[in-house]
């Protein structure tokens, strides 16, 4: 009899404990601080933003794109800028191992918990698609083939990765204040024992495409998945040069006691140290990003402060989106200008070395194989005030001219017209004057507009500084 009573009491205690744990799990967390930190209630200056975007688009099309097309820059870098990319909202990219809470974090930020369109989550690998969550007038899903076919979006270049990938691309449109200002991209989790070719599409190349266009990159881990394998190592190699956009997130931190959390934090840095070769490590946020309340007896105040810091970081990207976009187009223009100057130097050297009895293929092969012998790159550094750190790889031009014969290109001195002006002067004007002026107008709150000369042309004949008098 006593044994039966003891068993009943024990089962009652277990039931009470399970009920208490269930109550903690099902208690939803207050989300009011998300709207306050991101200032979602504040109205945006839509007119000023639209005018600046249109001005930026005009500068790109009139001053940068002509040289880009004339010297086939896209075949060197394979990065074509579309109107959709210029007008697109900031992109926040979520990367990391499987089942670390990437989809749960997006559900939490957007309040999609228990809604029909919440991202599916679970303890097993659940996200097999690249999911783009963006603003729309109504809630609906968009197939990848539709997103790639729509030229007004910024995803049309994704067609180059093939139909198998487009079947793994899906968009979700929904009316949401945060999505009016930013676009989220959820990615398939990294599974180290799965070979890339088993995905059916070039996973690393697709990741690189999104990485190149992301304004903020969240790399998410949890305390149980800190090991670094080949696929994660490849991912961090692709992130090289984008360290300022990377934020490391140690998610599900409320599952650990304080002492264990400190050990896991140190283990995370130990694992990532060989992969992030920079003086200043990326910012690490430690919290639990999902809709439910924190586990009992954990560092609630610390996790709340960390969450607010992350939201402030996200808000900074949103508020600086126009400045970042101008800086991105200017950086692209600098690279296009350097490429044009290098191709021009290759063309000039080829013409100088050619004689009546020369074999064109042998002459150009000698130039491409050893450009330093002919001072191709050094002459650019000496004459045009170009940083040596901005110069592209020499071997890339061997491949570039392998598919683009040198005779297909004209020297810069021949790239002038009476109405259109000179390609080099236009792109230099954009880099040194127009884009910095647009950035200044944004920072000072002035309405960006056309100058009098840009509107009328001022009646001046463009000067060609490459022609001899």
């Amino acid at each position: 009899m006593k044994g039966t009573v003891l068993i009943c009491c024990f089962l009652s205690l277990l039931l009470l404990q399970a009920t208490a744990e269930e109550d903690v799990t099902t208690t939803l967390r207050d989300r009011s601080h998300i709207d306050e930190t991101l200032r979602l209630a504040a109205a945006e200056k839509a007119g000023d933003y639209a005018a600046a975007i249109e001005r930026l688009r005009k500068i790109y099309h009139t001053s940068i794109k002509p040289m880009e097309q004339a010297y086939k820059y896209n075949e060197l870098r394979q990065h074509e800028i579309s109107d959709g990319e210029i007008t697109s909202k900031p992109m926040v990219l979520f990367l990391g191992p499987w089942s670390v809470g990437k989809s749960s974090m997006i559900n939490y930020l957007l309040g999609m918990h228990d809604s029909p369109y919440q991202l599916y989550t679970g303890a097993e690998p659940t996200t097999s698609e690249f999911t783009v969550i963006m603003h729309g007038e109504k809630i609906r899903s968009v197939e990848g083939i539709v997103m790639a076919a729509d030229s007004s979006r910024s995803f049309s270049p994704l067609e180059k990765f093939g139909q198998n990938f487009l079947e793994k691309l899906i968009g979700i449109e929904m009316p949401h204040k945060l999505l009016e200002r930013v676009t989220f991209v959820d990615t398939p989790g990294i599974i180290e024992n799965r070979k890339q070719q088993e995905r059916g599409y070039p996973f690393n190349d697709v990741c690189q495409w999104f990485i190149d266009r992301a304004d903020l990159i969240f790399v998410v881990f949890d305390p149980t998945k800190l090991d670094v394998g080949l696929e994660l190592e490849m991912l961090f190699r692709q992130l090289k040069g984008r360290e300022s956009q990377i934020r490391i997130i140690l998610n599900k931190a409320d599952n650990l006691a304080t002492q264990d959390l400190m050990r896991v934090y140190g283990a995370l840095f130990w694992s990532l140290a060989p992969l992030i070769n920079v003086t200043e490590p990326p910012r690490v946020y430690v919290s639990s990003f999902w809709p439910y309340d924190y586990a009992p007896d954990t560092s609630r105040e610390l996790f709340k402060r960390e969450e607010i810091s992350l939201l402030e970081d996200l808000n900074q990207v949103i508020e600086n989106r126009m400045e970042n976009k101008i800086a991105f187009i200017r950086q692209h223009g600098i690279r296009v200008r350097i490429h044009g100057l290098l191709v021009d130097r290759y063309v000039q050297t080829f013409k100088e070395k050619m004689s009546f009895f020369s074999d064109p293929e042998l002459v150009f092969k000698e130039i491409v194989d050893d450009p330093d012998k002919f001072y191709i790159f050094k002459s650019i550094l000496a004459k045009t005030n170009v940083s040596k750190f901005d110069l592209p790889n020499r071997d890339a031009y061997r491949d570039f001219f392998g598919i683009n014969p040198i005779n297909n290109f004209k020297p810069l001195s021949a790239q002038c017209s009476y109405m259109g002006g000179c390609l080099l002067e236009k792109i230099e004007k954009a880099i040194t004057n127009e884009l910095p002026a647009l950035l200044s107008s944004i920072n000072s709150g002035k309405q960006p507009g056309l100058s009098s000369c840009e509107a009328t042309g001022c009646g001046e004949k463009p000067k060609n500084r490459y022609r001899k008098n």
Side-chain angles (χ1 to χ4, degrees):
M1 184 68 179
K2 291 182 178 179
T4 305
V5 173
L6 287 174
I7 292 174
C8 290
C9 291
F10 180 69
L11 291 175
S12 299
L13 288 172
L14 288 178
L15 181 61
L16 288 172
Q17 184 179 0
T19 304
E21 290 178 355
E22 185 179 353
D23 289 341
V24 171
T25 304
T26 55
T27 302
L28 294 179
R29 196 185 304 173
D30 180 27
R31 295 184 63 261
S32 60
H33 63 284
I34 296 179
D35 293 354
E36 293 173 5
T37 307
L38 296 177
R39 303 178 181 89
L40 298 184
E44 288 192 295
K45 298 179 180 179
D48 293 349
Y49 181 76
I53 284 290
E54 180 58 29
R55 180 78 183 101
L56 180 62
R57 195 186 68 82
K58 177 178 173 57
I59 292 173
Y60 171 71
H61 279 283
T62 59
S63 302
I64 299 175
K65 193 169 185 177
M67 180 174 282
E68 188 178 315
Q69 293 176 329
Y71 292 102
K72 299 185 178 180
Y73 175 78
N74 295 332
E75 296 188 17
L76 179 74
R77 290 294 298 261
Q78 296 184 349
H79 188 171
E80 182 177 359
I81 296 180
S82 62
D83 284 351
E85 188 169 351
I86 294 176
T87 58
S88 64
K89 301 177 180 68
M91 181 188 294
V92 178
L93 181 64
F94 290 79
L95 300 168
W98 59 276
S99 194
V100 293
K102 300 187 295 296
S103 302
S104 297
M105 186 173 177
I106 296 175
N107 287 336
Y108 173 57
L109 291 174
L110 296 176
M112 293 198 299
H113 174 66
D114 283 342
S115 71
Y117 282 84
Q118 69 171 337
L119 302 182
Y120 180 62
T121 61
E124 75 283 0
T126 54
T127 304
S128 60
E129 299 93 4
F130 282 79
T131 307
V132 181
I133 303 97
M134 49 196 168
H135 183 263
E137 296 300 323
K138 59 181 181 180
I139 298 179
R140 69 182 185 117
S141 60
V142 185
E143 296 295 327
I145 54 175
V146 177
M147 294 172 62
D150 188 352
S151 59
S152 64
R153 303 180 190 268
S154 59
F155 303 104
S156 53
L158 289 171
E159 279 189 308
K160 67 182 179 181
F161 297 118
Q163 296 302 308
N164 285 341
F165 165 69
L166 294 181
E167 291 177 2
K168 295 293 184 180
L169 175 67
I170 188 169
I172 297 177
E173 289 185 346
M174 59 184 299
H176 195 285
K177 278 286 187 181
L178 180 54
L179 294 178
E180 290 179 4
R181 308 180 185 189
V182 72
T183 296
F184 291 132
V185 179
D186 191 17
T187 61
I190 294 171
I191 303 177
E192 296 297 348
N193 60 359
R194 176 180 294 173
K195 296 180 181 178
Q196 181 177 338
Q197 56 266 28
E198 292 178 4
R199 297 183 185 269
Y201 61 90
F203 176 74
N204 288 335
D205 292 340
V206 174
C207 285
Q208 189 67 64
W209 189 91
F210 281 102
I211 287 169
D212 289 341
R213 290 157 178 80
D215 296 87
L216 194 60
I217 302 170
F218 289 142
V219 185
V220 188
F221 295 89
D222 78 3
T224 65
K225 299 181 181 66
L226 302 180
D227 57 316
V228 175
L230 292 177
E231 197 165 79
L232 190 60
E233 186 177 346
M234 174 62 74
L235 178 65
F236 272 91
R237 203 174 296 144
Q238 293 177 282
L239 290 169
K240 189 175 181 180
R242 303 298 303 275
E243 287 82 7
S244 61
Q245 279 89 24
I246 298 174
R247 305 293 184 271
I248 306 296
I249 295 177
L250 181 56
N251 201 13
K252 306 181 184 179
D254 62 342
N255 291 338
L256 299 174
T258 304
Q259 188 174 8
D260 292 332
L261 181 58
M262 293 173 63
R263 290 171 179 163
V264 168
Y265 188 84
L268 177 62
F269 267 100
W270 178 268
S271 299
L272 297 182
L275 305 180
I276 306 177
N277 190 19
V278 291
T279 306
E280 184 178 349
R283 177 74 165 86
V284 179
Y285 295 102
V286 181
S287 188
S288 181
F289 297 94
W290 72 329
Y292 300 109
D293 200 6
Y294 299 113
D297 300 325
T298 54
S299 305
R300 289 170 168 268
E301 292 302 320
L302 170 64
F303 297 155
K304 184 71 174 288
R305 289 196 298 270
E306 287 285 280
E307 184 178 322
I308 291 176
S309 295
L310 181 141
L311 293 172
E312 290 173 346
D313 208 347
L314 175 59
N315 187 62
Q316 194 69 26
V317 170
I318 295 172
E319 291 187 346
N320 294 339
R321 63 192 183 281
M322 194 64 233
E323 290 90 336
N324 293 337
K325 205 171 285 289
I326 294 171
F328 167 72
I329 295 296
R330 185 174 183 274
Q331 182 185 53
H332 178 77
I334 291 172
R335 290 171 176 166
V336 172
R337 170 178 171 265
I338 292 173
H339 172 68
L341 291 168
L342 283 170
V343 173
D344 174 70
R345 186 59 190 166
Y346 273 105
V347 171
Q348 290 184 24
T349 304
F350 175 68
K351 291 186 175 182
E352 290 171 1
K353 299 301 177 184
M354 277 295 296
S355 65
F356 185 77
F357 299 101
S358 300
D359 184 338
E361 291 186 6
L362 292 177
V363 170
F364 191 65
K365 185 178 184 304
E366 183 183 5
I367 297 172
V368 170
D369 288 344
D370 190 7
D372 291 337
K373 177 181 177 181
F374 301 94
Y375 303 101
I376 300 289
F377 286 79
K378 288 183 178 179
S379 62
I380 299 298
L381 292 173
K383 293 183 179 180
T384 58
N385 194 27
V386 174
S387 170
K388 65 178 180 180
F389 301 106
D390 291 331
L391 291 177
N393 191 340
R394 289 158 170 76
D395 294 335
Y397 282 90
R398 186 184 294 109
D399 299 332
F400 175 78
F401 286 115
I403 58 176
N404 296 290
I406 189 68
N407 292 322
N408 289 356
F409 298 103
K410 297 178 181 178
L412 281 171
S413 58
Q415 298 282 8
C416 289
S417 65
Y418 181 82
M419 297 297 295
C422 299
L423 295 187
L424 185 61
E425 290 189 352
K426 287 197 297 184
I427 197 170
E428 287 182 343
K429 181 181 178 184
I431 293 169
T432 58
N433 296 327
E434 294 175 341
L435 291 173
L438 178 59
L439 185 60
S440 298
S441 70
I442 295 296
N443 292 331
S444 62
K446 295 179 181 179
Q447 181 75 12
L450 296 176
S451 66
S452 58
C453 287
E454 289 168 343
T456 63
C458 294
E460 294 183 4
K461 182 177 179 179
K463 299 176 181 178
N464 185 348
R465 62 181 181 183
Y466 284 90
R467 290 194 184 278
K468 296 180 180 180
N469 296 328

